[in-house]
């Protein structure tokens, strides 16, 4: 069964609803797509728009939309762009917004010769159309997204296997993240009323950047799909006993909606607005689970696309220079980003054509300098998710991306798959690093994500090249939240077995860990971390067997039809000598449901 991946936002597999370029499984555009749903799971526009000294200010323009209006990036030297803005108006265009700090102007025009004419103007460095479709009339008087009614909150908050894989469940006890750390969710928007997101939501720094200009009206940031809300929950759903918990449940999240309603596409001007906003509003980390529409790969030999590459690149550099690290999903096409040949998905706002591309063409923002590019792991934590893009020296780290359970609008929850789901795990770990190390720069956080990652070897797949320490499928490896908060398990104190052991019907399975280098007896609170994948845990009895054969029961046929045991148990093993071979014993006591011991660990 193909996982549910969201479509438009990037790097999700087709999500329950098609998104723009989100990186779930995905709509024709550029952001991470989401995955399958788990079976067990227009108001008038306000005149006041946010302005800053250096970033996006509203300009005089016609109040009446005209058919044939297209959007353009006009690139000039950073600083005072007034002369070039005047040239825009004098040559058949209007200024929609501008970002002086990076020398980018967003212009609208109905003239088919506008770009060619502007390219001949003094001070203009590049000009490029940002779309192959008309700017929607909504750009001039945006409707506010719906504020959905909220479902009753759930009464439980089980730890999910994705959190255990990256040791987030262990990190929470050390440092759940600081409320002074702000994470920007650049996406389809966020349902700020969701019971798992409201405690950590930062409305003061939330905004809509749809169409390329900040709209700070309350609620403009809300979700026009479900992708952004799902991503937000993975980063920082509150640890409140309800529904789901995020990697960094103590940090603050802000919504920067860059997807346009209806299409859920993420056009370049929207991305630029969002990245500049992130820099100006002190976001330590942003999550970018999308690619910038309408081009899956942006090629510098095309005049329009060259302007896009320059404009979005400048915005990323600006945010980075202001202390903001960008984390981005790698995409869901099972495509080798280090050996590009064709693109059949672009332009996704009109009629896609198949074109030849080379490695000079970039998937942005994922392939921009300084951005952390994230691949997706499969459910076992050590394989590449089948849909995940890959590429030697392009993928930096990996994280869980299949069947990730998180928040969706209206107080609800869903399981989605995609690199869109992997990226926010990394953004959450980055937020934990920033929480534990307030002085870290984006470069510091990026380096630590790589250094602390768990190495993953290549499978038997010729497309995976490189070493166990760094390869085309996983980059530096799977991120580690426990190391991010400064608690690296001391030598001789933490032991883990990641080898899968099949649990058959009416049979017993065992997995062993040999402990050495520990003085004396085991502690009175020996931590036993268990990850068992099974479709009916009511069949199972799970025991810890000490080196002398003493049996400690952890789980005894409870839980009924619930799937999987992902839990850390505390065992009084103070009468046991620590060193020796410990076993996890799993008895299956019925037919029709099987599974495996995915991993388990001991912490002394």
């Amino acid at each position: 069964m193909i996982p549910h991946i969201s479509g438009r936002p990037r790097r999700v597999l087709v999500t329950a609803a098609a998104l723009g370029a989100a990186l779930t499984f995905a709509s024709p555009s550029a952001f991470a797509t989401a995955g399958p749903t788990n079976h067990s799971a227009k108001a008038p526009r306000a005149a006041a728009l946010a302005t800053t000294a250096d970033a996006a200010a509203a300009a005089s323009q016609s109040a009446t939309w005209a058919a044939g209006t297209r959007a353009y990036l006009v690139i000039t030297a950073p600083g005072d762009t007034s002369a070039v803005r005047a040239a825009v108006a004098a040559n058949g265009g209007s200024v929609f917004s501008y970002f002086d700090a990076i020398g980018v102007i967003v212009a609208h025009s109905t003239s088919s010769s506008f770009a060619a004419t502007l390219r001949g103007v003094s001070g203009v460095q590049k000009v490029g159309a940002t779309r192959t479709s008309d700017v929607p009339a909504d750009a001039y008087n945006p409707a506010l997204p719906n504020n959905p009614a909220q479902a009753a909150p759930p009464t439980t908050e089980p730890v999910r296997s994705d959190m255990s894989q990256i040791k987030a469940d262990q990190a929470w006890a050390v440092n759940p993240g600081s409320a002074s750390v702000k994470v920007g969710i650049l996406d389809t928007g966020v349902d700020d009323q969701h019971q798992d997101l409201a405690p950590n939501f930062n409305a003061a720094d939330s905004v809509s950047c749809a169409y390329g200009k900040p709209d700070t009206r309350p609620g403009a940031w809300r979700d026009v799909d479900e992708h952004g809300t799902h991503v937000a929950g993975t980063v920082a759903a509150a640890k409140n006993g309800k529904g789901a918990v995020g990697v960094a449940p103590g940090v603050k999240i802000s919504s920067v909606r860059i997807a346009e309603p209806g299409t859920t596409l993420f056009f370049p001007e929207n991305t630029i607005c969002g990245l500049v906003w992130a820099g100006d509003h002190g976001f330590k980390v942003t999550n970018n689970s999308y690619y910038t529409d309408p081009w899956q790969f942006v090629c510098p030999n095309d005049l329009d696309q060259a302007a896009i590459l320059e404009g979005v690149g400048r915005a990323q550099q600006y945010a980075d220079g202001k202390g903001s690290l960008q984390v981005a999903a790698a995409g869901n096409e099972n495509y080798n980003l280090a050996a590009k040949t064709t693109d059949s998905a672009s332009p996704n706002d009109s009629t896609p054509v198949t074109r030849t591309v080379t490695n000079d063409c970039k998937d942005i923002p994922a392939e921009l300098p300084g951005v952390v590019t994230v691949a997706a792991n499969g459910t076992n934590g050590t394989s590449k998710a089948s849909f995940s893009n890959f590429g030697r020296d392009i993928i930096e780290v990996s994280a869980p991306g299949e069947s990730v359970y998180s928040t969706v609008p209206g107080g609800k929850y869903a399981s989605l798959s995609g690199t869109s789901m992997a990226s926010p795990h990394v953004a959450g770990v980055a937020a934990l690093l920033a929480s534990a190390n307030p002085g870290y720069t984006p470069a510091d956080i990026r380096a630590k994500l790589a250094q602390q990652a768990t190495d993953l070897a290549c499978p038997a797949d010729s497309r995976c090249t490189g070493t166990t320490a760094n390869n085309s499928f996983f980059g530096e490896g799977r991120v580690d939240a426990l190391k991010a908060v400064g608690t690296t398990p001391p030598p001789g104190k933490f032991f883990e077995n990641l080898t899968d052991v099949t649990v058959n019907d009416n049979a017993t399975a065992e997995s062993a860990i040999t402990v050495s280098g520990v003085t004396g007896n085991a502690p009175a609170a020996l931590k036993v971390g268990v990850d068992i994948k099974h479709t009916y845990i009511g069949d199972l009895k799970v025991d810890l067997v000490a080196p002398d054969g003493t049996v400690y029961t952890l789980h005894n046929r409870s839980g009924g039809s619930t799937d999987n045991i992902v839990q850390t148990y505390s065992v009084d093993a103070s009468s046991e000598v620590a060193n020796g071979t410990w076993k996890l014993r799993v008895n299956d006591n019925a037919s029709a449901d099987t599974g495996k011991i995915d991993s388990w660990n001991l912490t002394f």
Side-chain angles (χ1 to χ4, degrees):
M1 179 175 180
I2 297 175
H4 180 65
I5 302 182
S6 76
R8 277 295 329 134
R10 183 173 214 153
R11 327 313 191 209
V12 184
L13 292 190
V14 184
T15 131
L19 307 183
L23 298 189
T24 343
F25 270 76
S27 82
S29 178
F31 82 115
T33 7
T37 300
N38 194 325
H39 66 281
S40 38
K42 276 190 176 198
R45 175 184 175 88
L49 294 178
T51 60
T52 66
D54 288 327
S60 167
Q61 56 194 343
S62 168
T64 304
W65 173 83
T69 299
R70 296 293 172 92
Y72 300 85
L73 296 183
V74 181
I75 312 295
T76 186
D80 183 1
T81 64
S82 58
V84 175
R85 281 186 272 129
V88 168
N91 287 277
S94 63
V95 174
F96 186 75
S97 63
Y98 59 95
F99 304 85
D100 275 351
I102 59 172
V104 174
I105 299 164
V106 179
H108 289 177
S109 180
T110 58
S111 171
S112 61
S113 61
F114 176 77
T117 301
L118 258 289
R119 289 175 187 135
V121 171
S122 176
V124 172
Q125 298 172 357
K126 289 181 171 67
V127 181
T130 65
R131 50 184 88 202
T132 63
S133 56
D134 288 359
V135 174
D138 186 64
Y140 295 96
N141 189 23
L144 288 173
N146 291 331
N147 184 9
Q150 301 293 311
T155 58
T156 60
E157 186 182 69
V159 175
R160 306 291 298 186
S161 62
D162 58 316
M163 295 298 166
S164 297
Q165 284 176 22
I166 65 170
K167 299 186 177 69
D169 54 341
Q170 298 176 57
W172 299 327
V174 180
N175 186 345
S178 168
S180 65
V181 172
K182 294 187 285 190
V183 179
I185 310 299
L186 278 62
D187 214 292
T188 61
V190 173
D191 178 6
D192 55 301
Q193 305 297 305
H194 195 293
Q195 68 268 358
D196 247 339
L197 301 178
N200 293 335
F201 192 78
N202 172 24
D205 294 305
S206 293
V207 71
S208 170
C209 271
Y211 310 115
K213 175 160 57 178
D215 180 353
T216 59
R217 291 175 299 163
W221 57 70
R222 291 198 175 116
D223 209 331
V224 295
D225 193 86
E226 65 174 11
H227 189 269
T229 300
H230 194 277
V231 163
T234 299
V235 175
K239 198 172 189 302
N240 56 6
K242 304 172 185 177
V245 57
V247 176
V251 306
K252 294 298 182 183
I253 49 176
S254 298
S255 174
V256 182
R257 178 167 67 86
I258 60 173
E260 297 181 6
T263 63
T264 61
L265 296 180
F266 300 70
F267 289 103
E269 59 269 36
N270 311 0
T271 302
I272 290 168
C273 172
L275 290 171
V276 172
W277 182 272
D280 284 342
H281 287 260
F283 297 170
K284 288 294 291 186
V285 183
T286 72
N287 187 81
N288 301 265
S289 287
Y290 62 92
Y291 66 79
T292 302
D293 299 300
W295 306 100
Q296 181 177 15
F297 302 119
V298 183
C299 300
N301 61 346
D302 178 279
L303 292 177
D304 290 322
Q305 293 169 50
I308 294 171
L309 195 58
E310 181 69 22
V312 177
R314 287 190 187 185
Q316 144 57 16
Q317 291 170 7
Y318 178 82
D320 189 275
K322 290 279 191 171
S324 179
L325 175 71
Q326 277 56 252
V327 178
N332 300 322
E333 296 77 32
N334 192 24
Y335 192 101
N336 187 352
L337 297 175
K340 299 184 185 80
T341 56
T342 58
D343 170 16
S344 299
S346 308
N348 61 15
D349 64 334
S350 55
T351 303
V353 297
T354 298
R355 59 182 182 140
T356 299
V357 295
T358 69
N359 287 347
D360 289 335
C361 302
K362 303 299 181 184
D363 178 333
I364 63 173
E367 289 192 84
L368 292 174
V371 175
V372 178
T373 309
V374 182
N377 296 133
T379 53
N380 65 3
T382 58
S383 63
K384 181 183 87 69
S386 60
F387 51 80
S388 182
N389 286 352
F390 57 98
R392 188 79 171 97
D393 298 325
I394 293 177
I395 302 303
E396 297 201 30
V397 290
S398 66
E402 279 191 347
S403 298
V404 174
Y405 186 79
S406 187
T407 50
V408 293
K412 300 175 184 178
Y413 301 83
S415 291
L416 302 179
S417 298
T419 56
S420 278
M421 282 61 259
S423 181
H425 285 88
V426 178
V429 175
L432 291 177
L433 277 165
S435 298
N437 306 276
Y440 271 11
T441 66
D444 294 331
I445 299 173
R446 185 182 181 198
K448 282 295 183 181
L449 287 169
Q451 292 168 11
Q452 296 176 348
T454 301
D455 291 342
L456 297 177
C458 279
D461 188 327
S462 62
R463 299 174 303 164
C464 188
T465 61
T467 65
T468 297
N470 191 325
N471 57 61
S472 59
F473 276 15
F474 312 114
E476 297 281 354
R478 187 182 64 238
V479 291
D480 189 313
L482 187 59
K483 291 179 182 177
V485 295
T487 305
T488 304
K493 300 288 186 179
F494 179 85
F495 303 85
E496 187 170 32
N497 188 333
L498 296 173
T499 302
D500 291 352
V501 177
T502 300
V503 178
N504 293 315
D505 282 332
N506 294 297
T508 298
E510 291 186 340
S511 177
I513 291 177
T514 299
V515 174
S516 62
V518 180
T519 303
N521 284 8
L526 175 65
K527 301 302 182 192
V528 186
V530 175
D531 187 348
I532 298 172
K533 300 297 192 301
H534 197 279
T535 52
Y536 198 98
I537 66 173
D539 291 355
L540 302 181
K541 183 172 184 288
V542 182
D543 299 312
L544 175 69
V545 183
D548 68 355
T550 302
V551 175
Y552 298 86
T553 297
L554 307 178
H555 171 94
N556 193 3
R557 304 191 68 177
S558 61
S561 61
T562 306
D563 291 354
N564 307 333
I565 301 174
V566 183
Q567 188 170 339
T568 299
Y569 299 91
S570 182
V571 174
D572 183 354
S574 56
S575 64
E576 306 291 341
V577 173
N579 291 335
T581 299
W582 298 73
K583 296 178 182 179
L584 188 72
R585 177 179 295 162
V586 180
N587 301 105
D588 185 299
N589 296 280
S591 301
D593 289 273
T594 60
K596 65 180 179 179
I597 302 173
D598 201 343
S599 66
W600 72 289
N601 59 69
L602 295 170
T603 305
F604 288 83

